[in-house]
mmCIF file of all heavy atoms in Angstrom:
data_model
loop_
_atom_site.group_PDB
_atom_site.id
_atom_site.type_symbol
_atom_site.label_atom_id
_atom_site.label_comp_id
_atom_site.label_asym_id
_atom_site.label_seq_id
_atom_site.Cartn_x
_atom_site.Cartn_y
_atom_site.Cartn_z
ATOM 1 N N VAL A 39 21.904 5.415 -3.449
ATOM 2 C CA VAL A 39 20.491 5.343 -3.058
ATOM 3 C C VAL A 39 20.003 6.743 -2.701
ATOM 4 O O VAL A 39 20.650 7.460 -1.920
ATOM 5 C CB VAL A 39 20.301 4.398 -1.854
ATOM 6 C CG1 VAL A 39 18.830 4.358 -1.435
ATOM 7 C CG2 VAL A 39 20.789 2.997 -2.194
ATOM 8 N N VAL A 50 5.749 29.023 15.398
ATOM 9 C CA VAL A 50 5.629 28.694 16.814
ATOM 10 C C VAL A 50 5.905 29.935 17.655
ATOM 11 O O VAL A 50 6.517 30.898 17.182
ATOM 12 C CB VAL A 50 6.628 27.557 17.178
ATOM 13 C CG1 VAL A 50 8.068 28.044 17.057
ATOM 14 C CG2 VAL A 50 6.348 26.986 18.533
ATOM 15 N N ARG A 66 16.869 13.935 14.010
ATOM 16 C CA ARG A 66 16.099 13.924 12.760
ATOM 17 C C ARG A 66 16.890 14.462 11.571
ATOM 18 O O ARG A 66 16.388 14.496 10.448
ATOM 19 C CB ARG A 66 14.805 14.725 12.937
ATOM 20 C CG ARG A 66 13.876 14.122 13.981
ATOM 21 C CD ARG A 66 12.577 14.906 14.105
ATOM 22 N NE ARG A 66 11.764 14.411 15.193
ATOM 23 C CZ ARG A 66 10.898 13.405 15.099
ATOM 24 N NH1 ARG A 66 10.744 12.812 13.940
ATOM 25 N NH2 ARG A 66 10.201 13.010 16.150
ATOM 26 N N THR A 102 5.411 22.172 22.598
ATOM 27 C CA THR A 102 5.168 23.619 22.476
ATOM 28 C C THR A 102 3.805 24.027 23.020
ATOM 29 O O THR A 102 3.331 25.123 22.743
ATOM 30 C CB THR A 102 5.271 24.050 21.002
ATOM 31 O OG1 THR A 102 4.258 23.387 20.236
ATOM 32 C CG2 THR A 102 6.640 23.705 20.433
ATOM 33 N N VAL A 108 2.858 23.070 11.827
ATOM 34 C CA VAL A 108 3.870 22.451 10.970
ATOM 35 C C VAL A 108 3.302 22.236 9.571
ATOM 36 O O VAL A 108 2.241 21.629 9.410
ATOM 37 C CB VAL A 108 4.343 21.108 11.558
ATOM 38 C CG1 VAL A 108 5.424 20.501 10.675
ATOM 39 C CG2 VAL A 108 4.846 21.289 12.982
ATOM 40 N N GLY A 123 18.879 9.141 14.503
ATOM 41 C CA GLY A 123 19.340 8.958 15.873
ATOM 42 C C GLY A 123 18.526 7.901 16.610
ATOM 43 O O GLY A 123 17.306 7.800 16.430
ATOM 44 N N SER A 139 -5.992 -7.118 33.069
ATOM 45 C CA SER A 139 -5.176 -6.208 33.864
ATOM 46 C C SER A 139 -5.905 -5.792 35.142
ATOM 47 O O SER A 139 -7.131 -5.683 35.168
ATOM 48 C CB SER A 139 -4.814 -4.966 33.048
ATOM 49 O OG SER A 139 -5.984 -4.281 32.640
ATOM 50 N N ALA A 143 -1.811 -4.026 39.850
ATOM 51 C CA ALA A 143 -0.621 -4.173 39.016
ATOM 52 C C ALA A 143 -0.304 -2.880 38.262
ATOM 53 O O ALA A 143 0.847 -2.450 38.195
ATOM 54 C CB ALA A 143 -0.801 -5.332 38.034
ATOM 55 N N ARG A 150 6.673 3.286 36.268
ATOM 56 C CA ARG A 150 7.785 3.112 35.320
ATOM 57 C C ARG A 150 7.599 3.901 34.033
ATOM 58 O O ARG A 150 8.515 3.958 33.211
ATOM 59 C CB ARG A 150 7.943 1.628 34.977
ATOM 60 C CG ARG A 150 8.211 0.720 36.169
ATOM 61 C CD ARG A 150 9.503 1.098 36.871
ATOM 62 N NE ARG A 150 9.845 0.166 37.911
ATOM 63 C CZ ARG A 150 10.683 -0.852 37.766
ATOM 64 N NH1 ARG A 150 11.246 -1.070 36.601
ATOM 65 N NH2 ARG A 150 10.961 -1.651 38.776
ATOM 66 N N VAL A 161 -5.008 -8.447 28.171
ATOM 67 C CA VAL A 161 -3.658 -8.292 27.635
ATOM 68 C C VAL A 161 -3.075 -9.681 27.362
ATOM 69 O O VAL A 161 -3.632 -10.693 27.799
ATOM 70 C CB VAL A 161 -2.738 -7.517 28.612
ATOM 71 C CG1 VAL A 161 -3.277 -6.116 28.867
ATOM 72 C CG2 VAL A 161 -2.598 -8.264 29.928
ATOM 73 N N GLY A 168 2.333 0.375 27.423
ATOM 74 C CA GLY A 168 2.722 1.713 27.851
ATOM 75 C C GLY A 168 4.082 2.098 27.308
ATOM 76 O O GLY A 168 4.757 1.314 26.623
ATOM 77 N N SER A 171 9.747 5.140 30.773
ATOM 78 C CA SER A 171 10.398 6.422 30.992
ATOM 79 C C SER A 171 11.850 6.393 30.526
ATOM 80 O O SER A 171 12.472 7.440 30.336
ATOM 81 C CB SER A 171 10.340 6.800 32.471
ATOM 82 O OG SER A 171 10.918 5.786 33.277
ATOM 83 N N LEU A 206 -3.942 6.071 21.916
ATOM 84 C CA LEU A 206 -3.339 6.361 20.623
ATOM 85 C C LEU A 206 -4.229 5.855 19.502
ATOM 86 O O LEU A 206 -4.698 4.718 19.541
ATOM 87 C CB LEU A 206 -1.959 5.703 20.517
ATOM 88 C CG LEU A 206 -0.894 6.179 21.520
ATOM 89 C CD1 LEU A 206 0.381 5.357 21.370
ATOM 90 C CD2 LEU A 206 -0.602 7.648 21.336
ATOM 91 N N SER A 213 3.120 6.225 13.246
ATOM 92 C CA SER A 213 4.364 6.978 13.380
ATOM 93 C C SER A 213 5.073 6.709 14.699
ATOM 94 O O SER A 213 6.225 7.099 14.872
ATOM 95 C CB SER A 213 4.078 8.479 13.251
ATOM 96 O OG SER A 213 3.151 8.906 14.235
ATOM 97 N N PRO A 225 -11.948 -5.365 14.371
ATOM 98 C CA PRO A 225 -13.131 -4.499 14.454
ATOM 99 C C PRO A 225 -13.405 -3.974 15.861
ATOM 100 O O PRO A 225 -14.030 -2.926 16.021
ATOM 101 C CB PRO A 225 -14.259 -5.419 13.976
ATOM 102 C CG PRO A 225 -13.577 -6.409 13.085
ATOM 103 C CD PRO A 225 -12.236 -6.648 13.713
ATOM 104 N N VAL A 228 -7.726 -1.862 18.715
ATOM 105 C CA VAL A 228 -6.474 -1.534 18.035
ATOM 106 C C VAL A 228 -5.372 -1.627 19.084
ATOM 107 O O VAL A 228 -5.384 -0.892 20.066
ATOM 108 C CB VAL A 228 -6.504 -0.119 17.420
ATOM 109 C CG1 VAL A 228 -5.149 0.207 16.788
ATOM 110 C CG2 VAL A 228 -7.604 -0.004 16.389
ATOM 111 N N LEU A 235 6.600 -12.354 19.930
ATOM 112 C CA LEU A 235 5.945 -12.306 21.234
ATOM 113 C C LEU A 235 6.806 -12.910 22.338
ATOM 114 O O LEU A 235 6.674 -12.524 23.500
ATOM 115 C CB LEU A 235 4.602 -13.043 21.165
ATOM 116 C CG LEU A 235 3.575 -12.460 20.186
ATOM 117 C CD1 LEU A 235 2.293 -13.277 20.215
ATOM 118 C CD2 LEU A 235 3.270 -11.005 20.521
ATOM 119 N N GLN A 241 15.030 -10.513 23.175
ATOM 120 C CA GLN A 241 16.291 -10.106 23.789
ATOM 121 C C GLN A 241 17.477 -10.479 22.914
ATOM 122 O O GLN A 241 18.422 -9.697 22.767
ATOM 123 C CB GLN A 241 16.422 -10.735 25.173
ATOM 124 C CG GLN A 241 15.443 -10.179 26.199
ATOM 125 C CD GLN A 241 15.536 -10.891 27.540
ATOM 126 O OE1 GLN A 241 16.299 -11.843 27.695
ATOM 127 N NE2 GLN A 241 14.742 -10.444 28.504
#
Side-chain angles (χ1 to χ4, degrees):
V39 179
V50 67
R66 297 182 186 274
T102 62
V108 182
S139 60
R150 301 299 186 96
V161 299
S171 56
L206 297 175
S213 58
V228 177
L235 298 180
Q241 291 176 357

